[in-house]
Amino acid sequence: MRRRVVVTGLGAVTPVGNDVASTWRALLEGRSGAGLITKFDAEKFDVRFACEVKGFDASLYMDRKEAKRADMYTQYAVACATQAMQDAGFAEGGYVPERTGVIIGSGIGGLKSFEEQHDVYRERGPSKISAFFIPMFIADIAAGIVSMRFNAKGPNYATTSACATSAHAIGDAFRTIQYGDADVMITGVSEATVTPMAIGVFSNMKALSERNDSPETASRPFDATRDGFVMGEGGGVVVLEELEHARARGARSYAEIV
């Protein structure tokens, strides 16, 4: 018989809040996370706005050296996973490492790191490329670092399915528990694509809204006047748990996945 799966932890870093409570409050108040781009000079771009994460402090979740060697998308993932595990009541352990896994996806991985290291190569030569470039860039490093952070020795990989990446990750994690390969799964998505290359290419594809004069009202996917999507960044992670496993430790359940 397939096992039942519940959500016992939540974590989020978004353009409207750096945790679940502030993000939810902003959504209820109808606040937009869109604004003019501050992460690079977008003056020459046709699209000059995005939904950026604001005021994020990686030092709350990683030491300085670890953060320096991690792309922003990985930093967001670690923050979200830490929040979710604390919310689930796993901050001090209480789970079997071999029965705990991680599936955290990313549509593209560490794009900012790729752009920066390519600039280093062109300007200073191959000997100056960071030895940490590949583990900063690859799309599965966030899942790997989160698994090491929590000593999760169960199934561990990333999904990369474009706009379906987060649903794919959560769906795979659900089935992993449902079919008995794990009791606890840390799962979700992280992205950090407010970069010159990402904004430039999506703009040239005519996929992005060009409402530079009104960023807050630009995202209108079902409106007759829609003119494209708005680039965003951040992450979201949930802890999924087998129902009886959660009940046995008296865990709060947000919902059951069916």
Side-chain angles (χ1 to χ4, degrees):
M1 187 175 71
R2 295 179 185 176
R3 306 195 308 166
R4 296 168 68 182
V5 182
V6 293
V7 180
T8 56
L10 305 174
V13 173
T14 78
V16 291
N18 290 332
D19 54 35
V20 172
S22 58
T23 296
W24 184 243
R25 187 163 55 248
L27 294 177
L28 293 179
E29 294 172 358
R31 285 193 272 123
S32 171
L36 294 178
I37 291 171
T38 65
K39 298 199 168 182
F40 63 92
D41 183 1
E43 183 62 32
K44 296 180 180 179
F45 288 69
D46 291 336
V47 176
R48 297 185 291 279
F49 67 96
C51 290
E52 298 179 332
V53 168
K54 305 162 188 71
F56 175 74
D57 184 358
S59 68
L60 296 175
Y61 306 99
M62 311 170 78
D63 65 40
R64 184 173 175 273
K65 181 182 291 187
E66 187 181 17
K68 188 176 180 180
R69 294 175 178 176
D71 188 86
M72 288 304 302
Y73 104 95
T74 299
Q75 295 181 23
Y76 295 155
V78 170
C80 292
T82 301
Q83 292 176 24
M85 289 294 275
Q86 290 175 342
D87 189 43
F90 285 136
E92 304 299 328
Y95 51 89
V96 177
E98 290 77 11
R99 299 288 299 169
T100 303
V102 181
I103 303 176
I104 295 178
S106 181
I108 201 165
L111 185 58
K112 182 174 183 286
S113 294
F114 185 95
E115 294 181 25
E116 290 175 346
Q117 291 304 310
H118 187 255
D119 287 344
V120 168
Y121 162 66
R122 288 174 61 89
E123 295 167 8
R124 302 171 60 194
S127 66
K128 298 301 182 181
I129 299 170
S130 172
F132 297 100
F133 167 53
I134 294 302
M136 291 170 73
F137 169 65
I138 54 177
D140 63 347
I141 196 64
I145 288 178
V146 168
S147 71
M148 291 187 285
R149 169 65 61 90
F150 294 103
N151 193 32
K153 299 180 179 180
N156 175 229
Y157 60 92
T159 54
T160 300
S161 313
C163 296
T165 295
S166 58
H168 187 175
I170 293 170
D172 276 9
F174 163 63
R175 288 171 63 87
T176 298
I177 296 174
Q178 190 181 45
Y179 286 94
D181 294 325
D183 297 320
V184 178
M185 292 296 294
I186 306 166
T187 183
V189 70
S190 182
E191 213 76 74
T193 50
V194 182
T195 72
M197 285 294 290
I199 297 297
V201 70
F202 278 104
S203 174
N204 290 347
M205 290 167 59
K206 300 302 180 184
L208 297 179
S209 170
E210 296 185 2
R211 298 178 187 276
N212 295 301
D213 59 339
S214 184
E216 296 84 0
T217 66
S219 182
R220 49 178 82 181
F222 306 109
D223 195 279
T225 63
R226 66 191 181 277
D227 67 330
F229 75 91
V230 179
M231 185 67 78
E233 63 175 357
V237 168
V238 295
V239 173
L240 303 187
E241 195 170 346
E242 192 273 326
L243 177 61
E244 296 306 321
H245 186 278
R247 283 176 172 171
R249 65 185 189 89
R252 171 195 53 206
S253 171
Y254 286 102
E256 180 176 358
I257 299 182
V258 296

